[in-house]
Amino acid sequence: MISLRTLLALGVLLLSLPLGAQNPFLRPSLELGMSSANLRMSQAGSSGPLGGIQGLRAGAGLELSLGPLTYISAGLYYQQLGANNELSRRGSRPLELGAQGLTGTEQLRLQYLSIPVAVGMRLAVPFIGAGVSGELGLSYNSALGGSYSYRAASHSERSATADYDPYRLPEEQRPSLGLKERDLALHLAAKLELGSFFLRLGIEQGLTNIWQDAPRRSSLRTTTSWLSLGYTLF
């Protein structure tokens, strides 16, 4: 996994590039918002999303102008992903083997470092000094940590496996829900700019099966959407 020291170094490097170059074609920005995340689970005979959770998305971005309309964007973002899996729901299947036969709720909370790279197109909105843009690209995601937990449906229900980090499974807990630390996602975003401030609406669909040692014909993929407020530094 990427350490906190490495994360801070990447952020400083990202923001220092335009300061050193003083290039008018480079536009650094800061961003903070909320995300709605989910996981899509596919198994033999069933496929569909689990229950969503809300999380935080924050980071820094950089745009390189390619002309009057187009640009390349890159960023470094911390974001929270995951899902709730209600086992009482008809057709649901547990993520964790220890939850077989239970009717409570499984919860996965994941922390990612995301590095999206996209091509964008920006159009000016006449008379109000605003601009709208759209972006299409890929996002490389690296896990910083996570947690699996189980909430029993009643006090009389037997308990499932103990809480654990699915990226750091102790040998005595296997087989359990293990997750891959790397993910690649399709990145789509739209942005409304007004002066130095902007609103960004985006969605990322995971392309990687993040289920480590997944059962045959089974997969787990991330999905997240977000709305954030940003400020272009100069």
Side-chain angles (χ1 to χ4, degrees):
M1 295 186 192
I2 296 179
S3 66
L4 179 59
R5 181 180 298 179
T6 303
L7 174 60
L8 292 175
L10 288 172
V12 171
L13 176 62
L14 181 65
L15 290 177
S16 65
L17 285 175
L19 295 177
Q22 292 297 314
N23 190 330
F25 297 104
L26 291 172
R27 305 176 70 212
S29 62
L30 299 175
E31 206 168 327
L32 176 66
M34 297 298 294
S35 65
S36 177
N38 206 336
L39 294 171
R40 184 175 185 85
M41 182 168 64
S42 297
Q43 292 184 317
S46 67
S47 176
L50 306 179
I53 64 171
Q54 309 305 309
L56 174 72
R57 179 181 172 91
L62 185 66
E63 292 181 4
L64 171 63
S65 176
L66 300 179
L69 298 179
T70 59
Y71 61 90
I72 293 177
S73 68
L76 185 68
Y77 297 91
Y78 166 82
Q79 63 177 355
Q80 297 170 330
L81 285 79
N84 291 311
N85 187 24
E86 297 182 10
L87 299 179
S88 60
R89 189 178 57 182
R90 183 178 180 182
S92 64
R93 298 188 180 186
L95 294 166
E96 161 64 53
L97 292 177
Q100 293 281 357
L102 302 183
T103 58
T105 301
E106 296 177 295
Q107 185 176 82
L108 267 178
R109 287 197 171 274
L110 311 177
Q111 301 176 62
Y112 271 22
L113 172 67
S114 297
I115 306 175
V117 178
V119 175
M121 177 172 288
R122 180 181 294 107
L123 297 175
V125 179
F127 310 117
I128 62 173
V132 293
S133 59
E135 298 173 0
L136 172 63
L138 294 173
S139 180
Y140 171 77
N141 303 315
S142 178
L144 299 174
S147 66
Y148 168 90
S149 61
Y150 175 81
R151 298 197 303 269
S154 65
H155 295 294
S156 61
E157 185 180 62
R158 67 178 177 86
S159 60
T161 183
D163 297 357
Y164 61 86
D165 185 338
Y167 299 108
R168 298 183 179 91
L169 287 176
E171 290 295 334
E172 62 270 16
Q173 266 190 302
R174 298 181 181 179
S176 297
L177 176 65
L179 300 180
K180 298 175 183 176
E181 297 180 9
R182 306 288 183 263
D183 185 19
L184 187 67
L186 178 66
H187 172 93
L188 295 168
K191 185 167 66 170
L192 172 63
E193 300 177 71
L194 186 59
S196 296
F197 291 92
F198 62 85
L199 283 174
R200 191 194 304 270
L201 177 66
I203 184 171
E204 288 183 358
Q205 174 60 56
L207 304 175
T208 305
N209 179 8
I210 64 170
W211 202 337
Q212 187 77 37
D213 302 322
R216 185 171 177 268
R217 298 173 62 188
S218 299
S219 65
L220 199 61
R221 290 181 169 82
T222 60
T223 299
T224 181
S225 58
W226 70 88
L227 178 65
S228 57
L229 174 66
Y231 181 77
T232 302
L233 299 180
F234 49 81

